[in-house]
Amino acid sequence: MRVLEVASEATPFAKTGGLADVAGALPEALCRLGCETTLVIPAYREALAKGLPIEPTDLAFEVPIGTRRPVARILKCRLPDARGEVFLVANDDYYDRPGLYGSPDDYPDNAERYIFFSRAALELAGRQATSFDIIHCHDWQTGLVPAYQKLLYKSWPAVANAKTVMTIHNMAYQGMFWQWDMLLTGIDWQHFNWEQMEFYGQLNLLKTGLVFADAITTVSPTYAREIQQSPGGCGLEGVLAARSELLTGIVNGIDTQAWDPGNDPHIPRAYSEHDVDLGKYAARVALAARLGRAAPDARPLVAFVGRLAEQKGVELVVELISRMAGSGRAHFVVLGTGNRWYEEALQRTAASFPGTVDVVIGFDEGLAHLVQAAADITLVPSRFEPCGLTQLYAFRYGSIPVVRATGGLVDTVVDTNPDTLARGVASGFTFDAIDPMALEHALGRALDAHADRELWTRLVRHVMRQDWSWEHSGRDYVRLFERTLSRP
Ligand code: ADP
Ligand code: GLC
C-alpha cells in the first residue's frame, strides 16, 4: 500500500506539540508494517537549520494561489535508518520565518500559507511516477487536500484513485478564515456552503477536510465520542455525528526509540525498570544543575511539561502550586511556553516559592526528556485532551501521571485503587472536575502512594513495562486504510 502523509509539522524537522511526534513516527511504523510512505511537510526555517540531510531536488512548480502563481521548490530528506521518503515544500516567502504558525501570534497569512502547502503537496504527489492508495491528512492545515483531490486533481493519475483520510488531532483549532480567502483556494464558490466549506460565514479548513475525506479518524476512542457532542466538537459536532460511521478513534503510539530511558542522549544515565532510582537520581542531579541549583531536592518531583494553552489546564496547575507549595510535600518543575498570561502567572508562582517551584519558559526538547526522567509524578490536568503523549512518555520514564479523566487520558491511564491494584492494571491517578481541589486531591493520593515504597515500585515497574509503541496503533491504521480502500 502506498501512503502519502501530509502534515504541517513532524519530528525531527519542526515541532510545536504532539502532532509532530505522530507525523514523524507514524510513517515509519507504517513502513515496518509493509506500507510505502511519503511524508510531505513545509520547509520551515527551523527544519532547514537543524543540520539534517536535506537535499534539493530538480522538482519545482508553480502553484495557483488566487491570481498569483508562487513557486514550490521540492527538497528531499532521507534520515539515517529511515525507510520512508520525506519531501519538504519550500517557499521562502511563506516558510522562512521564525516559528511555525506565528512568532508568537499567528501569522496573518496562515490561510494562504497552508492553502499553498496543501495544494503543493497534492501536486507533488500527482507528479510521482507511481500512484498513491491513501492520502492521509492531519489537522486543519491540510484540510483542503481531500477537497483538492476530489474537485481539482481527478485527472492526475497518481492521486486520482487514492482514498483520503483526515485525522483530527485537535478540534479546538479549525483553521477559520474570512470568506474571501476562498478566492485563494481556486475552488468554486458553489462549495462555500454550510454543508461543505463554510462555517458561520467563514472559510473553515478543518470542516472542509471532514466533509470531503473518505474516512475520518481521531487520536483516541473517547475523544471520537466526545467530539460528536457539544462542547467537544467545538461547533462541528453535527458534521461529525452525520459522518459517524466513517469516524474511528485510534490511540496514538509513541516513538520508543526517541523516548527510551535505556538510550537517551538527553539524560545522564541510562536506566530501566530495574534501576529506576539510580537513573532518576542522576537525572535529578543534572536537572538541578540546569536549574542553577547546587544539589537535587529530596522531595518527590512533580512535573508539568506542555503547551501553555487553555486546553492544558494551566490555571489548575498555577492554583494547585499556590495551594500546595507551602506544605513542602513536593518539588514542582514546569516546562512550557505559549500564552503570555500563563507564562507570567507561572513565573510569579515560582518567585513566591523559591526552592520549591521551578518554572522554565521555552521550548526545549532535551529538557522535556530530562524532566520526565527526573520526575516521580507528571501532571496532565487537561480540560480536554484528544490523546496526549506526555502521560505515555511519563510511563516510559517511570513517572506516574496524575490526569483529568478526559479524551485520550481516559483511554491510557487507569486510576489506582484497591481493585485496579489487585488486577495489576493501575497506572496513574485520575480526577474528574475541572477544579484545583480535585487535582490537589488526586495529587495527594499519588504522594501518599509514593510514600509507600513497595506500592510505588510496583506501580513504576508496571507503567514502564507497558507497550505504547506504534506497533498496535500502526496496525489499526493499516486496517482502517484497507477498509477505506475496499469501500466503493
Ligand atoms: P499537544 O500535542 O496537545 O501539545 P501532547 O501531549 O500530544 O500534547 O504532545 C506534547 C508534545 O510536545 C510532547 O512531545 C511534549 O514533550 C512536547 N512539549 C510540549 N511543550 C514543550 C516544551 N515547552 N518543551 C519541549 N517539549 C514540549
Ligand atoms: C494534539 C492533541 C494531543 C495529541 C496530539 C497528537 O495536539 O492536543 O492530545 O496527543 O495532537 O495527536
Side-chain angles (χ1 to χ4, degrees):
M1 193 184 323
R2 261 197 110 206
V3 182
L4 178 75
E5 293 279 341
V6 191
S8 60
E9 53 181 271
T11 51
F13 302 96
K15 166 166 170 178
T16 66
L19 168 61
D21 291 0
V22 173
L26 174 60
E28 287 301 302
L30 294 174
C31 285
R32 288 193 292 274
L33 295 167
C35 300
E36 274 176 65
T37 64
T38 301
L39 167 67
V40 187
I41 58 167
Y44 300 108
R45 180 187 292 177
E46 171 177 331
L48 301 182
K50 290 208 167 137
L52 296 164
I54 297 174
E55 311 273 338
T57 71
D58 295 336
L59 191 56
F61 47 84
E62 293 182 345
V63 179
I65 295 292
T67 54
R68 298 187 311 111
R69 303 184 72 82
V71 172
R73 278 182 301 113
I74 305 303
L75 316 177
K76 193 168 180 176
C77 180
R78 184 75 64 183
L79 294 168
D81 305 331
R83 303 194 196 184
E85 145 181 88
V86 181
F87 287 117
L88 298 94
V89 174
N91 175 297
D92 291 348
D93 291 338
Y94 291 135
Y95 309 124
D96 183 17
R97 306 183 189 183
L100 273 53
Y101 311 118
S103 175
D105 297 329
D106 284 357
Y107 287 122
D109 59 346
N110 273 349
E112 183 170 336
R113 295 172 78 226
Y114 292 101
I115 291 169
F116 173 83
F117 172 63
S118 297
R119 194 154 182 179
L122 202 56
E123 291 230 356
L124 164 62
R127 285 160 205 263
Q128 303 301 301
T130 36
S131 57
F132 287 94
D133 302 301
I134 292 286
I135 299 177
H136 185 191
C137 310
H138 300 266
D139 277 356
W140 71 264
Q141 293 89 343
T142 60
L144 280 175
V145 173
Y148 279 138
Q149 190 256 352
K150 290 214 165 53
L151 302 174
L152 300 185
Y153 290 87
K154 271 297 179 193
S155 61
W156 292 48
V159 292
N161 297 317
K163 296 279 182 169
T164 52
V165 178
M166 186 78 223
T167 292
I168 303 162
H169 295 264
N170 200 325
M171 287 303 300
Y173 304 95
Q174 298 185 5
M176 279 211 269
F177 302 100
W178 75 323
Q179 57 172 335
W180 296 105
D181 283 333
M182 192 62 197
L183 291 171
L184 302 176
T185 66
I187 293 175
D188 195 285
W189 275 106
Q190 66 166 309
H191 299 290
F192 191 74
N193 64 68
W194 70 275
E195 287 181 309
Q196 293 183 303
M197 302 175 74
E198 185 256 4
F199 186 72
Y200 293 98
Q202 290 195 291
L203 171 62
N204 184 317
L205 298 184
L206 179 61
K207 176 175 174 179
T208 303
L210 299 178
V211 169
F212 282 93
D214 298 304
I216 304 170
T217 78
T218 188
V219 289
S220 68
T222 298
Y223 194 60
R225 285 190 294 278
E226 289 171 354
I227 60 180
Q228 295 181 56
Q229 289 166 12
S230 181
C234 300
L236 295 183
E237 51 276 0
V239 176
L240 289 162
R243 307 205 76 204
S244 86
E245 334 79 271
L246 299 178
L247 169 62
T248 324
I250 301 177
V251 173
N252 287 329
I254 57 170
D255 182 334
T256 48
Q257 273 179 9
W259 293 86
D260 178 6
N263 179 17
D264 183 336
H266 304 298
I267 67 174
R269 183 189 192 283
Y271 65 94
S272 72
E273 66 195 68
H274 303 295
D275 55 0
V276 196
D277 290 345
L278 292 174
K280 285 203 173 284
Y281 182 75
R284 264 176 215 214
V285 172
L287 180 62
R290 279 292 293 273
L291 298 172
R293 297 183 182 286
D297 199 296
R299 294 170 290 178
L301 197 163
V302 179
F304 173 94
V305 177
R307 290 183 293 114
L308 302 181
E310 195 190 356
Q311 168 188 351
K312 300 293 173 182
V314 190
E315 66 282 28
L316 297 188
V317 175
V318 172
E319 283 207 44
L320 169 84
I321 295 177
S322 310
R323 295 168 65 93
M324 272 187 78
S327 78
R329 283 190 82 188
H331 174 203
F332 293 90
V333 175
V334 175
L335 168 63
T337 179
N339 180 307
R340 261 166 274 173
W341 190 89
Y342 290 137
E343 292 181 352
E344 283 162 20
L346 283 164
Q347 279 167 324
R348 274 197 304 275
T349 314
S352 313
F353 300 100
T356 293
V357 183
D358 286 294
V359 170
V360 180
I361 300 299
F363 194 93
D364 186 332
E365 182 77 24
L367 190 54
H369 287 240
L370 183 61
V371 169
Q372 291 276 22
D376 296 298
I377 295 170
T378 298
L379 302 177
V380 194
S382 307
R383 289 171 172 267
F384 69 93
E385 196 61 73
C387 177
L389 296 172
T390 318
Q391 78 281 10
L392 304 181
Y393 298 144
F395 286 154
R396 186 119 170 104
Y397 284 73
S399 176
I400 302 297
V402 172
V403 309
R404 196 170 95 76
T406 180
L409 300 170
V410 172
D411 298 325
T412 54
V413 180
V414 178
D415 188 51
T416 300
N417 59 44
D419 170 51
T420 56
L421 274 173
R423 288 189 288 123
V425 294
S427 65
F429 296 84
T430 69
F431 64 99
D432 285 306
I434 302 178
D435 177 346
M437 274 163 52
L439 169 58
E440 185 181 0
H441 181 69
L443 177 57
R445 288 197 294 132
L447 290 170
D448 290 345
H450 182 270
D452 177 341
R453 288 319 290 168
E454 197 233 302
L455 168 62
W456 195 255
T457 304
R458 211 152 29 109
L459 271 179
V460 169
R461 291 220 168 130
H462 167 62
V463 299
M464 288 186 78
R465 273 191 214 125
Q466 294 184 96
D467 178 5
W468 291 101
S469 69
W470 270 104
E471 177 83 29
H472 311 285
S473 304
R475 271 182 220 287
D476 289 342
Y477 274 102
V478 172
R479 275 192 284 268
L480 169 98
F481 293 163
E482 281 165 355
R483 273 203 311 278
T484 309
L485 284 170
S486 68
R487 267 201 305 265

